[in-house]
C-alpha cells in the first residue's frame, strides 16, 4: 500500500527572506530556487511580486527556470496584488497564486472591515485569482486566533470561489500541538467540500513548537507543510524544512507519510542559505547544526565506535554530511577541488570554480591543511572582487598595541580609483571601519558584527558577517580570511556595496510592510 504524500511548500524566499536582515540578492534567490527544485521541494513560494521590482523580477525569473516545482507568488486580498502576482508567475510550467487576508479580530481592525465586508472581499479576490490561475491557495492570516465560526465561514467562501489549497497559518506562533491537530481535524469535519481541497499548515516558532505543531496538523489531516530552510523567518522563524522532512523519514512508524524531498541535499542548501542570508545556524540546531552529529563525550564515543546506532537515530550521510574529512593542501589540483566540493554537495560552474580555486591556493599557502569547513567558507564568501561593486579593499595595515587607540592604514578602491587614509579607533576593527567611513562617508548603521572561527587552531579562518541598515534598507556582507581584521574589512565593504546596489535599484514600493492594508481592494 502506498503511503499518503505530504506536500512540502518552501517559503524561504518569501517568509524567510522577509525576516529583517535576511535580504538576498537576485542571483542568490535564483540559486536557492534551483537547489530547492533540485532537491524535490514540491512548491516554492518565490516571493511577493507587488512588494518591489526586485521581488517581481525574482519570481518571474524563477518561474521561467523552474523544472519540477510549482512556483507560487504571494498577493494580498486586492486585485492589483493578484494581477501583479499572476504576471510574475505566468511563465512557470506549474504556477500558483497564494492570496491572504488577516481574519482574526486584531487583523480585521487594520483594514477596518466588518466581518461581512471581509467575507465579500474574500469572495471577490479568490474568484479573481482563480480566473487567472487554476492553482489558488488561500490563507486566513492569524487563523489560530480567529473566532472558529468566522474561520469556517471564510474558508467555505474561499473554497466556493475556487481555492484549491486552504492554508491555516499560526502567524504568531501561538498554538500548541494538540490544539493544532484539533483545529485541522475539526475544520475538515465541519467545512462542506473540505475533501476537495488540500489543507496546509503554516507555523511560526515563537514558542519553539513550530515543527511539533506542523506534524500534529499532518496527523490530523493536513497534507501540505509550509516551511523554510534552517527555519529562517521573522522573529523566531518558521517551521524548519529539514526538521519535518527528517521527522517524517526517521519516525515513519508514527508519521506514515512520504515526501519527495531528497534528504541528502539538506546540508548543502542549509549552508548556502546560512551564507546568503547572513543568519548562521546555531551549533546545536536539530539536523543541520555543527554539533548535530558530533559525539565528543567519552561514553558516546565508545558507544559509537562499537555500534553507530547506539547514539545515532539517523546517519550523517542521510542529510548529506560526507563522512570523510579529507584534508586538501597546496598541492591539490583543480580536479581534486571540484571532486571535494561535489562530495560536499557543492557544484560550481567552471568560472566559479576558477575563482574558488584561486582563493583556495592563496589560503593553502597560508594554512597547512584546508578542511571541509574552510572550503565551504571559501565558496560562501563574497570575495568583493565583483567589477560592478563600487568599493573594494586594496590594502590594509593595522597597528595594534596594549596602548590604544589602534590605527588602520587603508587603501580603498572607489569606482576604480585608489584612495588612502589613516584612521584610529577603539580596537583594530573599529579603526578599520572608521577608515572606510572617512573615505566613503555614509549614514548606514552597523546592526550586526559577528565572527566565527571556521576550524580549530590559531591559523583558522575567521568568517565575519556584517549587517548594515540605512533608511530601512538592510544588507548583509560576509567574508572569510585567516586575518580576522581583513575578513572584517571585506565583510563591511561587501555590506556597503550591497546597500549601494539596493539604494540604486529600489522601487517606490520597495518594502511591502510600508504598503498599508487600507490599500487593499
Ligand atoms: O504567517 C503568516 O500568516 C503568513 C501568511 C502570509 C500566510 O506568512
Ligand atoms: Zn508566515
Amino acid at each position: 500500500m502506498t503511503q499518503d504524500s505530504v506536500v512540502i511548500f518552501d517559503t524561504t524566499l518569501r517568509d524567510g527572506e522577509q525576516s529583517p536582515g535576511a535580504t538576498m540578492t537576485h542571483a542568490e534567490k535564483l540559486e536557492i530556487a534551483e537547489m530547492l527544485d533540485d532537491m524535490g521541494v514540491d512548491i516554492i513560494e518565490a516571493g511577493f511580486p507587488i512588494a518591489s521590482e526586485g521581488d517581481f523580477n525574482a519570481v518571474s525569473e524563477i518561474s521561467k527556470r523552474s523544472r519540477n516545482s510549482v512556483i507560487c507568488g504571494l498577493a494580498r486580498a486586492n486585485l492589483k496584488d493578484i494581477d501583479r502576482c499572476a504576471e510574475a508567475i505566468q511563465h512557470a510550467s506549474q504556477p500558483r497564486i497564494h492570496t491572504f487576508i488577516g481574519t482574526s479580530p486584531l487583523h480585521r481592525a487594520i483594514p477596518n472591515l466588518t466581518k461581512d465586508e471581509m467575507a465579500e472581499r474574500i469572495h471577490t479576490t479568490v474568484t479573481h485569482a482563480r480566473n487567472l490561475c487554476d492553482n489558488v491557495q488561500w490563507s486566513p492570516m492569524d487563523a489560530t486566533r480567529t473566532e472558529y465560526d468566522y474561520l469556517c465561514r471564510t474558508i467555505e467562501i474561499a473554497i466556493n470561489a475556487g481555492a484549491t489549497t486552504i492554508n491555516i497559518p499560526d502567524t504568531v506562533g501561538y498554538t500548541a500541538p494538540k490544539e493544532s491537530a484539533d483545529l485541522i481535524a475539526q475544520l475538515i469535519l465541519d467545512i462542506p467540500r473540505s475533501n476537495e481541497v488540500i489543507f496546509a499548515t503554516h507555523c511560526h516558532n515563537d514558542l519553539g513548537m513550530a515543527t511539533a505543531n506542523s506534524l500534529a496538523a499532518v496527523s490530523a489531516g493536513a497534507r501540505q507543510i509550509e516551511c523554510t530552510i534552517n527555519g529562517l523567518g521573522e522573529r523566531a522563524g518558521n517551521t524548519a524544512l529539514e526538521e519535518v522532512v527528517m521527522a517524517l523519514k526517521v519516525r515513519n512508524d508514527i508519521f506514515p507519510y512520504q515526501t519527495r524531498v531528497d534528504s541528502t541535499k539538506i546540508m548543502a542548501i542549509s549552508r548556502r542559505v546560512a551564507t546568503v542570508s547572513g543568519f548562521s545556524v546555531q551549533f546545536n540546531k536539530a539536523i543541520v547544526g555543527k554539533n548535530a552529529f558530533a559525539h565528543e563525550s567519552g561514553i558516546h564515543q565508545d558507544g559509537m565506535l562499537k555500534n553507530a546506532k547506539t547514539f545515532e537515530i539517523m546517519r550523517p550521510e542521510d542529510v548529506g554530511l560526507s563522512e570523510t574529512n579529507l584534508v586538501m593542501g597546496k598541492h591539490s589540483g583543480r580536479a581534486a577541488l571540484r571532486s571535494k566540493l561535489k562530495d560536499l554537495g557543492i557544484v560550481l560552474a567552471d568560472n566559479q570554480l576558477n575563482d574558488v580555486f584561486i582563493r583556495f591556493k592563496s589560503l593553502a599557502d597560508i594554512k597547512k591543511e584546508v578542511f571541509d569547513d574552510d572550503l565551504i567558507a571559501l565558496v560562501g564568501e563574497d570575495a568583493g572582487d565583483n567589477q560592478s561593486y563600487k568599493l573594494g579593499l586594496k590594502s590594509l595595515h593595522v597597528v595594534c598595541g596594549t596602548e590604544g587607540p589602534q590605527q588602520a592604514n587603508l587603501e580603498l578602491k572607489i569606482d576604480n580609483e585608489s584612495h588612502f587614509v589613516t584612521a584610529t579607533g577603539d580596537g583594530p576593527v573599529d579603526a578599520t571601519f572608521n577608515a572606510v567611513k572617512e573615505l566613503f562617508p555614509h549614514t548606514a548603521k552597523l546592526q550586526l558584527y559577528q565572527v566565527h572561527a571556521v576550524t580549530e587552531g590559531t591559523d583558522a579562518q575567521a568568517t565575519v558577517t556584517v549587517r548594515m541598515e540605512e533608511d530601512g534598507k538592510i544588507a548583509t556582507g560576509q567574508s572569510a580570511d585567516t586575518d580576522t581584521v581583513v575578513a572584517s574589512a571585506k565583510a563591511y565593504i561587501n555590506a556597503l556595496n550591497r546597500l549601494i546596489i539596493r539604494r540604486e535599484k529600489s522601487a517606490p514600493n520597495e518594502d511591502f510592510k510600508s504598503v498599508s492594508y487600507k490599500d487593499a481592494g
Side-chain angles (χ1 to χ4, degrees):
M1 197 181 81
T2 59
Q3 293 188 330
D4 257 12
S5 293
V6 169
V7 170
I8 297 294
F9 176 109
D10 181 277
T11 182
T12 306
L13 297 173
R14 199 280 297 168
D15 220 347
E17 215 249 351
Q18 210 167 294
S19 172
T23 316
M24 299 174 200
T25 65
H26 183 75
E28 288 163 351
K29 289 182 191 174
L30 301 190
E31 189 191 340
I32 298 298
E34 192 177 338
M35 291 176 98
L36 290 168
D37 196 324
D38 194 45
M39 78 191 287
V41 160
D42 299 285
I43 303 165
I44 301 173
E45 188 163 50
F48 196 171
I50 197 84
S52 69
E53 281 298 311
D55 255 52
F56 179 89
N57 292 337
V59 177
S60 173
E61 196 54 41
I62 290 169
S63 298
K64 287 179 194 153
R65 294 173 180 220
S66 59
R67 283 165 294 137
N68 301 308
S69 308
V70 172
I71 305 300
C72 174
L74 184 70
R76 289 168 303 180
N78 71 72
L79 307 187
K80 221 168 114 197
D81 271 42
I82 292 169
D83 288 344
R84 189 79 173 138
C85 181
E87 200 186 334
I89 56 166
Q90 64 178 317
H91 297 296
S93 53
Q94 303 173 77
R96 172 181 288 193
I97 295 176
H98 175 192
T99 179
F100 74 99
I101 196 161
T103 48
S104 67
L106 283 167
H107 282 268
R108 285 200 304 269
I110 299 175
N112 201 15
L113 293 178
T114 64
K115 282 184 175 173
D116 287 346
E117 285 165 345
M118 184 166 282
E120 182 57 36
R121 171 78 61 87
I122 294 163
H123 171 76
T124 313
T125 50
V126 176
T127 304
H128 185 66
R130 187 57 206 263
N131 284 337
L132 297 171
C133 184
D134 283 344
N135 189 339
V136 173
Q137 170 166 329
W138 183 71
S139 293
M141 186 164 72
D142 207 11
T144 52
R145 294 192 302 168
T146 300
E147 306 93 318
Y148 183 73
D149 286 351
Y150 189 59
L151 185 62
C152 290
R153 179 177 167 200
T154 58
I155 293 173
E156 202 179 325
I157 291 170
I159 294 176
N160 289 336
T164 45
T165 296
I166 298 294
N167 178 36
I168 304 299
D170 182 30
T171 305
V172 289
Y174 180 68
T175 198
K178 184 168 183 314
E179 196 180 68
S180 170
D182 289 349
L183 178 61
I184 294 287
Q186 202 59 47
L187 288 172
I188 292 176
L189 213 61
D190 289 343
I191 291 174
R193 301 177 59 205
S194 63
N195 60 335
E196 294 175 27
V197 297
I198 287 196
F199 275 81
T201 174
H202 176 112
C203 299
H204 281 264
N205 202 30
D206 298 65
L207 292 172
M209 294 192 278
T211 296
N213 291 338
S214 303
L215 293 170
V218 167
S219 298
R223 287 293 175 268
Q224 175 176 304
I225 300 181
E226 307 212 349
C227 47
T228 59
I229 302 293
N230 299 338
L232 191 69
E234 279 192 273
R235 307 183 311 277
N238 290 59
T239 301
L241 178 144
E242 63 277 9
E243 292 178 15
V244 286
V245 166
M246 291 314 288
L248 292 176
K249 194 172 167 139
V250 174
R251 295 309 313 274
N252 199 253
D253 53 333
I254 52 170
F255 300 118
Y257 315 101
Q258 58 182 21
T259 75
R260 280 200 322 115
V261 172
D262 175 356
S263 67
T264 65
K265 306 244 159 107
I266 283 178
M267 276 318 297
I269 193 163
S270 162
R271 290 181 187 127
R272 199 65 195 128
V273 167
T275 300
V276 301
S277 67
F279 278 70
S280 33
V281 174
Q282 80 194 51
F283 280 18
N284 57 342
K285 162 86 179 62
I287 318 293
V288 291
K290 207 175 160 77
N291 291 355
F293 291 91
H295 298 272
E296 283 194 6
S297 86
I299 294 177
H300 279 215
Q301 277 183 348
D302 189 44
M304 288 294 292
L305 288 173
K306 288 187 179 127
N307 180 354
K309 286 193 175 150
T310 323
F311 286 104
E312 231 169 48
I313 57 165
M314 53 198 154
R315 296 171 311 157
E317 51 272 34
D318 293 342
V319 298
L321 263 179
S322 63
E323 268 204 287
T324 58
N325 195 7
L326 278 186
V327 179
M328 304 274 291
K330 65 176 173 189
H331 299 300
S332 311
R334 203 178 301 252
L337 178 67
R338 187 194 289 277
S339 133
K340 181 76 203 177
L341 290 175
K342 193 160 171 263
D343 284 350
L344 294 171
I346 303 168
V347 180
L348 298 179
D350 283 348
N351 58 340
Q352 291 170 311
L353 183 76
N354 288 346
D355 292 348
V356 172
F357 187 65
I358 293 168
R359 303 211 292 275
F360 159 68
K361 281 287 176 188
S362 35
L363 179 65
D365 271 342
I366 309 169
K367 225 173 161 268
K368 279 200 300 293
E369 297 168 319
V370 178
F371 296 99
D372 290 359
D373 286 343
D374 287 315
L375 292 177
I376 291 162
L378 269 192
V379 174
E381 102 162 310
D382 180 349
D385 46 12
N386 187 327
Q387 291 308 308
S388 62
Y389 282 170
K390 188 172 184 72
L391 310 174
L393 178 69
K394 298 285 274 185
S395 69
L396 175 67
H397 295 278
V398 177
V399 184
C400 291
T402 46
E403 306 295 313
Q406 280 67 28
Q407 184 182 308
N409 303 314
L410 175 80
E411 182 185 355
L412 187 69
K413 176 207 92 166
I414 307 178
D415 291 329
N416 289 324
E417 245 183 61
S418 272
H419 300 261
F420 296 85
V421 79
T422 296
T424 55
D426 192 3
V429 174
D430 192 45
T432 303
F433 290 4
N434 287 343
V436 175
K437 204 167 177 180
E438 259 185 56
L439 289 177
F440 184 73
H442 60 83
T443 53
K445 290 199 180 57
L446 186 68
Q447 279 199 335
L448 173 86
Y449 171 70
Q450 186 175 278
V451 184
H452 276 304
V454 174
T455 56
E456 276 119 52
T458 48
D459 68 345
Q461 285 193 94
T463 300
V464 177
T465 308
V466 166
R467 190 175 304 140
M468 316 268 288
E469 185 267 335
E470 189 183 45
D471 297 332
K473 293 184 182 59
I474 297 175
T476 304
Q478 248 195 7
S479 193
D481 201 286
T482 47
D483 185 320
T484 309
V485 185
V486 171
S488 304
K490 288 199 280 184
Y492 186 77
I493 292 167
N494 287 344
L496 279 177
N497 278 323
R498 285 164 170 245
L499 260 187
I500 295 164
I501 293 172
R502 292 207 67 194
R503 201 195 285 160
E504 282 162 4
K505 288 201 177 149
S506 68
N509 55 347
E510 172 74 32
D511 185 354
F512 83 90
K513 285 172 214 136
S514 66
V515 182
S516 158
Y517 277 82
K518 292 197 178 110
D519 296 348

